[in-house]
Amino acid sequence: MIGFAGKGLTLDGVAGTLAGGASVQQVRYIGKDIELRVHEAYLRVAPWSLLVLEPRITELRATELAVVSKPTDPRGRPPDTLELPADFQLPNARVSRLTVDLGKGPLVLTDVELDYAGGRSQHRVRALALQTLEHTIKLHGTIDARP
């Protein structure tokens, strides 16, 4: 197992290949206003998508994904940006536990299925199915990454 790091992105405990399928113990991205952590992930990337600089993650399974805004003054203020360093696609991602904390306390969702695209300028969720409060919820929508 090996690790990689660069421009706010760290991958620890990597085994396998991106195209053939890789397991990653922890992925962590730290941006200006947001931190993204993925634990115990399995992912596969379409090799051609790396050539056009828009990674298409054809398969993602993870035990936990956390999206946390960095503390600002005041803490309740939303982050200045939700920009990620690159655009990417996550069709049919599955996450056992999704935690989102934008400053008002964590929101924990379980058994999440997601079809996502975006990163730099906006975030597009084409299909989101999740379990919370003993109910299944299905959503879709778009949010700008920059104000």
Side-chain angles (χ1 to χ4, degrees), residues 24-76:
V24 183
Q25 288 300 310
Q26 182 171 312
V27 177
R28 186 173 182 190
Y29 169 73
I30 300 175
K32 178 182 172 197
D33 291 316
I34 196 165
E35 182 175 340
L36 186 67
R37 295 184 306 261
V38 183
H39 295 281
E40 298 178 8
Y42 174 82
L43 58 97
R44 188 183 307 241
V45 177
W48 59 266
S49 69
L50 296 174
L51 296 174
V52 296
L53 301 177
E54 188 171 322
R56 179 175 169 80
I57 300 170
T58 58
E59 186 175 355
L60 172 69
R61 307 284 180 262
T63 58
E64 184 172 10
L65 170 63
V67 179
V68 180
S69 67
K70 289 181 155 184
T72 56
D73 286 326
R75 174 65 170 134

Side-chain angles (χ1 to χ4, degrees), residues 77-96:
R77 183 175 67 88
D80 291 336
T81 178
L82 297 174
E83 276 183 88
L84 296 175
D87 288 329
F88 64 96
Q89 298 176 33
L90 284 172
N92 196 30
R94 298 187 189 287
V95 178
S96 298

Side-chain angles (χ1 to χ4, degrees), residues 90-139:
L90 284 172
N92 196 30
R94 298 187 189 287
V95 178
S96 298
R97 178 183 166 99
L98 171 64
T99 303
V100 178
D101 187 350
L102 298 178
K104 303 204 185 253
L107 171 64
V108 177
L109 309 168
T110 58
D111 300 323
V112 177
E113 296 179 22
L114 174 69
D115 184 350
Y116 167 88
R120 286 187 180 138
S121 62
Q122 66 178 222
H123 304 281
R124 294 176 306 281
V125 176
R126 293 184 196 107
L128 171 66
L130 54 95
Q131 298 287 320
T132 188
L133 303 173
E134 300 180 15
H135 291 14
T136 299
I137 299 171
K138 294 185 178 188
L139 306 166

